[in-house]
Amino acid sequence: MFKAEKSALSAALASIKASINARNTIPILANALFERSGEDLVISGSNLDIQITATCSAGIAADFTAFTAPYALFETAVKSMTDGSITVENVAAAGGRIDGIAIKSGRARIKMPILPAQDYPKMKTDKLNHGVGLGVSSLKQCFRAVEFAMSTEETRYYLNGVFMHTHPEGLMFVATDGARLARRLMPMVDIDEEKITGIPAVIIPSDTVKTVSRLLPDAGNVAVRLSDERIEFALSGLTIVSKLVEGTFPDYQRITPANNDKIIRLNGKLLAGAVGRVLTVSNTKGSGIRFTFADGAVRLVSKPGENGEAEDEMSAEVEGNLEIGFNGSFMLEVIDSLGSGDIEMKLGNPGDPAMIMRPGETNSFAILMPMRI
Amino acid sequence: MFKAEKSALSAALASIKASINARNTIPILANALFERSGEDLVISGSNLDIQITATCSAGIAADFTAFTAPYALFETAVKSMTDGSITVENVAAAGGRIDGIAIKSGRARIKMPILPAQDYPKMKTDKLNHGVGLGVSSLKQCFRAVEFAMSTEETRYYLNGVFMHTHPEGLMFVATDGARLARRLMPMVDIDEEKITGIPAVIIPSDTVKTVSRLLPDAGNVAVRLSDERIEFALSGLTIVSKLVEGTFPDYQRITPANNDKIIRLNGKLLAGAVGRVLTVSNTKGSGIRFTFADGAVRLVSKPGENGEAEDEMSAEVEGNLEIGFNGSFMLEVIDSLGSGDIEMKLGNPGDPAMIMRPGETNSFAILMPMRI
């Protein structure tokens, strides 16, 4: 039916793994769908929320008919074969009806049952009326810069993802869970600018954000198609289709502090080290740290707890003295999301949210609510 | 109190990690014991069954007093520091009583509570009256060759380890769970021969077998000291003391087949590949494989199941035709325990246990019970 190299088949199967949920109640969703597209073999998996399709170069025989086979078994069987060429054949039951396939390599033969391709619940992609090309590395950077702030609370489902909307200077990506917020602008230079007009504002689910970041290659242009309900990312033979989160993202501009006039500039990596050290005595991830900015330095002191006490100090450019508390783990995530180099903090009063960004940034930054220590 | 390099301190702490069980009911067992031994710092952990001690070169001040500190917190604190020198100091509470320590590096300071060293339940090692030196790489090979056959059934606690006893030609290591057995002889050349006389036959617990295999370096001579109740392994500043399993190991010689006259010789790696492929359709780890030995080949067929069917075939030197069933997972473990190269099987009738070994071996082999397929 078809013949493919073990390495190519394994790679395609690995790509779609994230879409297969073996513990679902619909039996056919434990299967992968094998179809033909021109001279290529196309393998898909779905959990009804996200569908991943990978292309695999293969020699496809005239008798090929689309089928679905148990993903886990097919994948293990391919992996167990020796390197080289693998053949997949139809197996007919008594009476001639095709009821299985056999995977063959050398003298080994592994037979497994199949389910009909026409029963597979493929996600429809015919109404994705908007399309735009985005630099994939820029897209991944935007996701990486904001995904830490996504909420995981199921009751606030409209925060369980990344909000994407058009902006006069590009595409804005935003995530928040109420305690922190991150936004990052993708500039026009990374966007197929002519096609950006009219793109709806959408909330891309957390799982999809992570899957796109992990699976798509690091270079090239990803073709994005979307409607109000679905979004598709396609690049280099890999296609990810996802439902969007229904709901309204809050008006995040309202909580952006406008009057933070105390400016701190310091090295992100050194700050992360100090925060990590002070956090060692925290009982839970949520433990707070008191930051004292004064006289060219920032001093960090742990919230007193039963485990012990910790403190550290580092140099910083400080304009305006302030003592303020933050969640140390959240602070670490913000620093990590900004990448290496210096970072800038704009602080107000001890009760005001802080803005944290790469120096000079105006459209991309994180907002962190203070904690009473 | 003392000063040490972060890397040395981290390495010593990592070595004793396996002995610390944070979820125990005795608070001091969550702590590590810090003592001085001459010019060295000695750090110990214990779960009352196994105690690990690691030596760390350090600059020890005159005010050093032994103490115990929370292992997890101490280890995380050391890890969080920048590379270089770390200082540990006593911290006195009001009134001058020492109630804590502070770990310092640069401007960072992490303070934590301690518990008195005299309350720490150190395992006694003064009655280990037998002592012998063993080549550590040979010891690890012996453990590796038999540990797969140890039982994990708690009701058969006397099988939850490796039986070690003296043998006219060396030291014999044996493990069995009733369905399979493995024995391996450590030859006299790897043993401090003069001191082997009178060493008691003992059962070394599974956890200790794994800890010794993982922690001890790969070269050198391990100093073994033991009594009927305890065993100690010491090499390169690392000491592992363990309780022994109380109980009687079964007379394993009785089940060694004497009349297996069908001899098979084949490549272990190729056989493992074939077994792995046929196992892919198994539902559970226990699934059986039917082996047919005949005409210069062995044919493997899966036990029919709902998942599908699998078969494979490979060349083998076969003396005597036979069809026999084995647990495929157990067979894989046996092949793995024998290392690379050819393996030899001595088979009897389809109901008789099989002997599997490196060609020509007489004292070291595995025994596998057959399965009805």
Side-chain angles (χ1 to χ4, degrees):
Chain A
M1 190 158 55
F2 70 85
K3 190 179 249 189
E5 285 302 301
K6 176 187 171 178
S7 53
L9 206 47
S10 290
L13 289 165
S15 299
I16 70 161
K17 189 173 195 126
S19 64
I20 307 272
N21 177 5
R23 272 188 231 92
N24 65 68
T25 50
I26 306 171
I28 205 169
L29 291 183
N31 281 20
L33 172 66
F34 293 78
E35 297 172 299
R36 161 182 217 152
S37 167
E39 289 307 301
D40 285 327
L41 179 70
V42 177
I43 312 178
S44 305
S46 168
N47 61 16
L48 299 184
D49 287 325
I50 192 166
Q51 172 179 298
I52 308 178
T53 301
T55 303
C56 173
S57 69
I60 303 183
D63 71 342
F64 180 89
T65 43
F67 64 94
T68 79
Y71 175 81
L73 182 51
F74 193 97
E75 197 236 356
T76 318
V78 167
K79 213 179 266 172
S80 79
M81 296 298 188
T82 47
D83 291 343
S85 184
I86 286 178
T87 305
V88 175
E89 290 180 356
N90 284 324
V91 176
R97 200 175 56 86
I98 304 299
D99 75 338
I101 51 162
I103 303 181
K104 292 170 72 173
S105 169
R107 286 185 270 179
R109 181 176 183 277
I110 300 174
K111 189 197 146 190
M112 64 191 71
I114 58 175
L115 289 171
Q118 61 267 31
D119 293 351
Y120 195 81
K122 273 184 89 169
M123 285 172 82
K124 288 202 172 58
T125 53
D126 52 344
K127 289 185 183 155
L128 305 179
N129 292 326
H130 300 277
V132 64
L134 305 177
V136 69
S137 111
S138 181
L139 177 67
K140 286 185 173 192
Q141 277 169 29
C142 289
F143 280 162
R144 176 161 183 276
V146 305
E147 62 183 340
F148 72 92
M150 297 186 298
S151 172
T152 53
E153 262 183 68
E154 283 185 26
T155 51
R156 303 172 81 185
Y157 60 91
Y158 51 90
L159 299 183
N160 297 172
V162 169
F163 183 52
M164 178 181 87
H165 69 89
T166 55
H167 179 278
E169 294 173 42
L171 260 183
M172 183 64 88
F173 295 80
V174 192
T176 183
D177 66 357
R180 56 253 172 92
L181 178 147
R183 48 181 269 182
R184 172 112 175 194
L185 183 76
M186 179 187 286
M188 283 300 181
V189 65
D190 295 326
I191 302 171
D192 184 352
E193 195 171 340
E194 287 176 17
K195 297 191 177 159
I196 197 182
T197 324
I199 285 185
V202 296
I203 305 169
I204 305 167
S206 336
D207 279 350
T208 307
V209 168
K210 288 170 189 158
T211 303
V212 165
S213 299
R214 205 180 64 244
L215 288 186
L216 289 189
D218 287 325
N221 264 279
V222 53
V224 178
R225 296 198 301 144
L226 73 165
S227 66
D228 287 331
E229 290 168 4
R230 271 175 211 181
I231 191 163
E232 180 190 87
F233 301 86
L235 175 61
S236 304
L238 200 69
T239 305
I240 299 166
V241 183
S242 165
K243 282 192 184 167
L244 291 165
V245 177
E246 290 179 52
T248 308
F249 200 78
D251 177 11
Y252 68 93
Q253 310 267 17
R254 277 195 311 118
I255 63 162
T256 305
N259 303 313
N260 285 4
D261 56 355
K262 300 184 176 73
I263 313 294
I264 322 289
R265 195 176 285 201
L266 73 188
N267 181 276
K269 197 179 160 195
L270 295 181
L271 180 62
V275 171
R277 286 189 278 282
V278 174
L279 271 184
T280 53
V281 297
S282 298
N283 261 330
T284 58
K285 279 193 116 187
S287 285
I289 295 178
R290 193 175 69 236
F291 292 75
T292 308
F293 298 95
D295 308 326
V298 52
R299 189 172 148 73
L300 291 73
V301 178
S302 65
K303 189 172 170 177
E306 58 177 26
N307 269 345
E309 302 160 20
E311 59 186 51
D312 202 356
E313 194 178 298
M314 66 176 284
S315 308
E317 288 175 41
V318 175
E319 290 173 27
N321 295 358
L322 183 68
E323 190 170 297
I324 186 170
F326 290 113
N327 177 311
S329 304
F330 287 2
M331 178 65 84
L332 278 185
E333 289 178 329
V334 168
I335 300 167
D336 181 58
S337 76
L338 294 174
S340 58
D342 278 4
I343 61 173
E344 192 170 284
M345 298 188 181
K346 292 188 183 168
L347 306 174
N349 293 313
D352 291 341
M355 289 173 73
I356 307 175
M357 65 212 78
R358 302 296 298 274
E361 280 285 354
T362 49
N363 276 313
S364 302
F365 51 82
I367 298 173
L368 203 52
M369 297 303 290
M371 264 178 97
R372 208 170 293 189
I373 304 292
Chain B
M1 191 156 58
F2 70 85
K3 190 179 249 188
E5 285 301 302
K6 176 186 172 178
S7 54
L9 206 47
S10 290
L13 289 165
S15 298
I16 70 161
K17 187 170 198 132
S19 64
I20 308 272
N21 177 4
R23 269 187 232 94
N24 64 68
T25 50
I26 307 172
I28 205 168
L29 290 183
N31 281 19
L33 172 66
F34 293 77
E35 295 173 300
R36 161 182 215 152
S37 166
E39 290 308 302
D40 284 327
L41 179 71
V42 177
I43 312 178
S44 305
S46 167
N47 60 17
L48 299 184
D49 287 327
I50 192 166
Q51 172 179 297
I52 308 178
T53 301
T55 303
C56 172
S57 70
I60 303 184
D63 72 341
F64 181 89
T65 42
F67 64 93
T68 78
Y71 175 81
L73 182 50
F74 194 98
E75 197 236 356
T76 317
V78 168
K79 214 179 266 171
S80 79
M81 295 298 186
T82 45
D83 290 345
S85 184
I86 286 177
T87 304
V88 175
E89 289 180 356
N90 285 324
V91 175
R97 199 176 57 85
I98 304 299
D99 75 337
I101 50 162
I103 304 180
K104 291 169 73 174
S105 170
R107 286 186 270 178
R109 181 177 184 274
I110 300 175
K111 190 196 145 192
M112 64 191 71
I114 58 175
L115 289 170
Q118 62 266 31
D119 293 351
Y120 195 81
K122 272 184 89 171
M123 286 173 83
K124 289 201 172 58
T125 53
D126 53 344
K127 291 187 179 152
L128 305 179
N129 293 325
H130 300 276
V132 65
L134 304 177
V136 69
S137 111
S138 181
L139 178 66
K140 286 185 174 191
Q141 276 169 28
C142 289
F143 280 162
R144 177 164 183 275
V146 305
E147 63 183 339
F148 72 92
M150 298 185 298
S151 173
T152 53
E153 263 182 68
E154 284 183 28
T155 52
R156 303 173 83 185
Y157 60 90
Y158 51 91
L159 299 183
N160 297 172
V162 169
F163 183 51
M164 177 179 88
H165 69 89
T166 55
H167 180 280
E169 294 174 40
L171 262 182
M172 184 65 88
F173 295 81
V174 192
T176 182
D177 65 358
R180 59 254 172 90
L181 178 146
R183 49 181 271 182
R184 171 111 176 197
L185 184 75
M186 179 187 286
M188 284 300 180
V189 65
D190 295 326
I191 302 171
D192 183 352
E193 196 170 338
E194 287 176 15
K195 296 191 177 159
I196 196 179
T197 322
I199 284 186
V202 296
I203 305 169
I204 306 167
S206 336
D207 279 351
T208 307
V209 168
K210 288 172 189 157
T211 303
V212 166
S213 299
R214 204 180 62 242
L215 288 186
L216 289 189
D218 288 326
N221 263 277
V222 54
V224 178
R225 295 198 303 142
L226 72 165
S227 67
D228 286 332
E229 289 168 5
R230 266 168 216 186
I231 191 163
E232 180 189 88
F233 301 87
L235 177 59
S236 304
L238 201 68
T239 306
I240 299 166
V241 183
S242 165
K243 281 193 184 166
L244 291 165
V245 177
E246 289 179 53
T248 308
F249 200 79
D251 176 11
Y252 69 92
Q253 310 267 17
R254 277 195 310 118
I255 64 162
T256 304
N259 303 312
N260 285 5
D261 57 354
K262 299 184 177 72
I263 314 293
I264 321 289
R265 195 176 285 200
L266 73 188
N267 180 278
K269 195 179 160 196
L270 295 182
L271 180 61
V275 171
R277 286 189 277 282
V278 174
L279 271 184
T280 53
V281 297
S282 297
N283 261 331
T284 59
K285 279 193 115 185
S287 286
I289 295 179
R290 194 174 70 234
F291 293 75
T292 309
F293 299 95
D295 308 327
V298 50
R299 188 172 149 76
L300 292 73
V301 179
S302 65
K303 189 173 170 176
E306 57 178 27
N307 268 346
E309 302 161 19
E311 59 185 52
D312 202 354
E313 195 178 300
M314 66 177 283
S315 307
E317 288 176 40
V318 175
E319 287 175 29
N321 295 358
L322 183 67
E323 190 169 298
I324 187 169
F326 290 112
N327 177 312
S329 303
F330 287 1
M331 179 65 84
L332 278 185
E333 288 178 329
V334 168
I335 300 167
D336 182 57
S337 77
L338 294 174
S340 59
D342 276 5
I343 62 174
E344 193 171 284
M345 297 187 180
K346 292 188 181 168
L347 307 173
N349 294 315
D352 291 340
M355 290 172 72
I356 308 174
M357 67 212 77
R358 302 295 299 272
E361 281 283 354
T362 49
N363 276 313
S364 301
F365 51 82
I367 298 173
L368 203 52
M369 297 302 290
M371 265 179 96
R372 207 169 294 188
I373 304 292

